[in-house]
Amino acid sequence: MQMICQRWTYRVGNSTVTVDNAFNWLGWAQERLRVNDETVQDSRGLFRTRQSYAEPWLTMIGEGELSVCISARLMSIQCELRLNGDLIATEAYLATRWSGPKNSWPAEEDWRSAQRGDFIVVPKAETPKG
């Protein structure tokens, strides 16, 4: 199955958090939330335009909540990561086009820096032309 994939990478304390999204033009979509390369949440299905996750998160001041919201826009996918309601800055925007079975993901080496046309919301100052 031909998939269009996006990845957002964040740094939260000493942890690396990645959010992956993949979709195709037939309506299939899949998402996953990973912390330090371990999948902690994943979902999949047909005709999905929004997905949210929440994970308990231990902070220096106690228990908190790490929340993710992935949403489809007109020609892109947007992702927001929040810790206790505060927006976390994205460290890297990655993308790839990939062909494989449902519920699977491209190899790590297939991901590259996102560019225009990758269906990912990147702030204009950070978007490489390509």
Side-chain angles (χ1 to χ4, degrees), residues 46-116:
L46 288 170
F47 303 108
R48 303 162 60 86
T49 59
R50 186 174 187 82
Q51 178 61 44
S52 297
Y53 298 126
E55 273 296 304
W57 198 266
L58 188 60
T59 68
M60 295 176 94
I61 58 171
E63 291 259 340
E65 182 179 82
L66 188 72
S67 60
V68 178
C69 182
I70 306 166
S71 56
R73 298 176 79 177
L74 185 58
M75 289 297 289
S76 61
I77 307 298
Q78 179 176 13
C79 179
E80 290 184 347
L81 183 78
R82 294 179 182 272
L83 180 58
N84 295 330
D86 295 327
L87 191 63
I88 305 294
T90 306
E91 191 172 86
Y93 301 88
L94 305 171
T96 190
R97 304 283 173 122
W98 167 78
S99 187
K102 290 179 181 178
N103 307 325
S104 62
W105 293 92
E108 289 302 311
E109 60 270 11
D110 291 341
W111 294 93
R112 57 167 171 70
S113 291
Q115 302 173 2
R116 281 191 190 141

